[in-house]
Amino acid sequence: KWVAYSRLYQSLEVDSSVLLQQLTSIEYHWHQVTLPQQQKGELSDSLHGFLQYGLCLVAKYRDIFPPTPSATPKLHTLLRILAQICKTKAFQELNPANFDLQDEITGTEDWFTVKKGLHEPMTKDLTEMGSALSRLIVEVQRDIKSNKDVWNRVFFSAMQVDVFTVVYQKFDSLLAQEVMKTLSLMKGHMDLSLSKCLFPIYLNLHGIHKNKAFLQRLKLSNFHEDFREAMPYWLNQAFSTTKDRVERAVQVDQLQPLQTGSELIKHSSSAVDLVSCIQPICQLWEQLSWPDPEESFMLMVKITEDVCKIVGSYCQLLKDRVRVLSENSDHSIAINMLQLCVVVNDLEHLRTHLSKLPSQLNWEGLRSRLVNVIADSQFNNTLSSQLQQAQSSLSREIRSALDTLGKQLNTDIETYVRSMSTRRRIPSKSSEDAAAPLMRYLEQELQYMNENLVPENFNLLTPLWNNSVKILYQTANQYSQQEGQMVFCQRLLYTLQCLEQCFHAEGNGLPLKSLHSDEYKTYLEKNSLSSRQLIEKFFQKKTSEQLFAVQRTYSGEKYGAVTLRASYRSSDQRLRVEVLNAVNLIPMDSNSSDPFVHLCLEPNHVFPEVEPRVTQIKSCDLNPLFDESFDLISPEQCQAPGACLVVTVLDHDTLSADDFEGEAFLSLSNVMGVSEGTEEDLSSRPDAAPAQLRLPLMHPKPNLKLLESRRGEREAQAFVKKRRQREKQS
């Protein structure tokens, strides 16, 4: 039955399970029944012949049993039959020679030779030879995949043979020989066209090598070495292609925010295109997966450098595009503002994605491969510094664009601020009305930028705030010599307070601690004061200086000192001043002086009806004793702002103006009995004991610029004239 069915199987398609049944029967009866010698010979020839026939089929399994659901079961059964034949006692006794079925599975080299012939180039052109090799490798890769995914399961299930490894090792040897032969012909003739045809060869070889990279002594292990000459061409091609795509993307960009459904994206189309354009360069790194660690580092440096160059090129292209669109537009400020906002958002979008470059290129993976090759410092100084320089360049471009936005706003703010000035002594409108146009403008522009700038770039608020305050200060200085400056500064001060509220935006804008405007506010507050208020401030400062001089005791008596007592007398509601003496006066004549004391209550507008008082003249005495008393004003005047007693020591000259020895200032609010309550309290209180005071004499210091600028105000000019005369006397 076996002989009959095995012959029938070779000529007709017979169910192979019948052959397995006959082999099982032979194995079962082999030692139970002894066959005649003739039948043994016939059985031996039949088994051996079928084995050779089956091996011929297996050698061509790629063609006879393609990887389809209908063909692979037939191959599986045939392999089981061949394996069963080799295991039977009958075959082992009748064929005593050592026979290993695994060693007999061949056909890969023949298949390779056939495919090589089919793809043989028609000419000896190097590019054509490269294309032919590429097509052959694709065929091999496809066959390896089929062996791995389909045929290996069949062989291993039927015969415990790892046909995938067998086939892979054979292809490794054949391909290594073919690749070396072809690339050796190209050595020294590399150009762009050759490099293009070699790139798919490299990728396919890399894919083949990954399948069994763990095997030892593979001939394709260092296949990448043959492609070093083509590597620069691949990198330059990727760079130039990406650069061209970026240029085309910018050329068609209208610098308008993208609209995705109902959601508004604040950057333009070129920013999205640029991120997409950079992806192929990052993919190139992943595709190459260059095995050599040190060369991989140099490759990474080149790729990072190319990405940074493209980023720099994009910035310049974007600026050129803004210029072109501005020239072709109707020069509308609103359009230009929108374009600038979009440019800033584009650059921020790019900066965000550039920060992801280390993860996209897997820097950490490369760093781990370079642990024993390159120091971390060199890694950081090379790669990280490249990226930081590109990010710094983007930051500078963003700041430049924001500065351009800020300059436009600053120009408008300055125009509004200047429009608040008035030469009239009586303002034509209130500070609120004068500041309203500026505040409406700022609210409108800030809302516009909030809608069109991404949050990361809304830090424009800080420089805008600083410049706004600076404009207020500079404008106030420019108008400092004109009439109406007080009204103008009052408006500016009100505007500054409004700006603080606007930029703070109830906690949604700048924090209050960053709104540092104390210096400017003090300046505006001072310039907003009336002339009388400025005079009061002058005397308040003088009394403070006097108090400081008193605290320094005798070390500050450069010009001498005057001693007096001052107190409030509740019995007649008058202020009494007793001039006791003066000491250590400077001689104004030949080694001596004729001093006397001049008492005057200031400011004059507080004491318009109080006449100055003088003591007697003491001849030739540098330490005169006066001991004279004067009754002055009622207490409510003593408590006025800046109210003080000006004590002036003069040297009497008969034929010329009196010489100035020095002056001292006593704040009336600090006089015993005055500083302790209201007028009602003072009138019911017993007389206070007078306190003796020693006041160092001082000389005047010029500090009247603000009052001098009030040229249209008589009172201010009269006060300045009086103080200037005092300065000349000193």
Side-chain angles (χ1 to χ4, degrees), residues 249 252-276 314 338-339 341-343 345-346 349 353 451-454:
V252 299
D253 193 357
Q254 297 301 315
L255 297 182
Q256 296 292 322
L258 291 175
Q259 189 76 34
T260 304
S262 59
E263 183 179 357
L264 181 67
I265 299 177
K266 296 183 180 181
H267 49 262
S268 65
S269 60
S270 64
V272 179
D273 293 339
L274 176 62
V275 174
S276 301
Y314 175 74
L338 177 60
Q339 289 174 351
C341 288
V342 171
V343 167
N345 295 337
D346 286 348
H349 181 71
H353 281 273
E451 292 173 353
N452 291 282
L453 280 176
V454 292

Side-chain angles (χ1 to χ4, degrees), residues 182-194:
T182 304
L183 294 184
S184 63
L185 297 174
M186 297 180 179
K187 194 171 184 179
H189 300 87
M190 189 61 60
D191 56 18
L192 183 60
S193 60
L194 271 181

Side-chain angles (χ1 to χ4, degrees), residues 411-430:
T411 302
D412 295 339
I413 290 172
E414 187 171 356
T415 301
Y416 280 107
V417 170
R418 290 183 184 277
S419 68
M420 285 190 275
S421 66
T422 177
R423 293 173 181 264
R424 302 179 183 180
R425 304 185 71 179
I426 301 177
S428 57
K429 52 186 176 181
S430 66

Side-chain angles (χ1 to χ4, degrees), residues 4-73:
Y5 280 119
S6 63
R7 289 177 180 174
L8 190 61
Y9 181 88
Q10 297 177 38
S11 57
L12 298 174
E13 187 173 351
V14 180
D15 186 3
S16 55
S17 61
V18 177
L19 293 177
L20 287 173
Q21 292 176 2
Q22 302 311 316
L23 285 173
T24 303
S25 179
I26 290 173
E27 179 70 8
Y28 180 76
H29 294 95
W30 182 249
H31 288 296
Q32 296 180 3
V33 178
T34 303
L35 294 177
Q37 192 63 33
Q38 180 181 358
Q39 289 183 350
K40 283 185 178 181
E42 187 176 358
L43 179 61
S44 175
D45 292 340
S46 176
L47 291 174
H48 191 268
F50 189 85
L51 190 63
Q52 294 301 321
Y53 170 75
L55 289 175
C56 288
L57 295 181
V58 172
K60 300 177 180 179
Y61 70 89
R62 295 174 174 86
D63 301 320
I64 300 175
F65 304 103
T68 62
S70 59
T72 50

Side-chain angles (χ1 to χ4, degrees), residues 2 10 12 39 72 96-97 100 117 249 266 276 319 322 361 410 417 459 499 563 575 598 623-624 632 645 658 685 724:
W2 162 257
Q10 297 177 38
L12 298 174
Q39 289 183 350
T72 50
D100 190 349
K266 296 183 180 181
S276 301
K319 288 192 287 188
V322 171
L361 294 177
N410 290 336
V417 170
N459 53 14
L499 287 175
T563 305
L575 180 69
H598 179 278
N623 297 282
L632 302 173
L645 174 67
D658 296 334
R685 185 173 299 171
R724 290 299 184 212

Side-chain angles (χ1 to χ4, degrees), residues 40 45 88 97 108 149 165 385 405 414 461 494 557 634 641 660:
K40 283 185 178 181
D45 292 340
T88 57
T108 298
D149 297 342
T165 301
S385 62
L405 276 172
E414 187 171 356
L461 278 179
Y494 175 77
E557 297 180 356
S634 58
F660 179 78

Side-chain angles (χ1 to χ4, degrees), residues 224-243:
H224 65 283
E225 295 177 355
D226 297 321
F227 294 89
R228 285 197 182 101
E229 196 176 357
M231 175 67 73
Y233 291 92
W234 296 343
L235 294 175
N236 291 335
Q237 179 66 23
F239 174 76
S240 59
T241 301
T242 302
K243 189 176 179 181

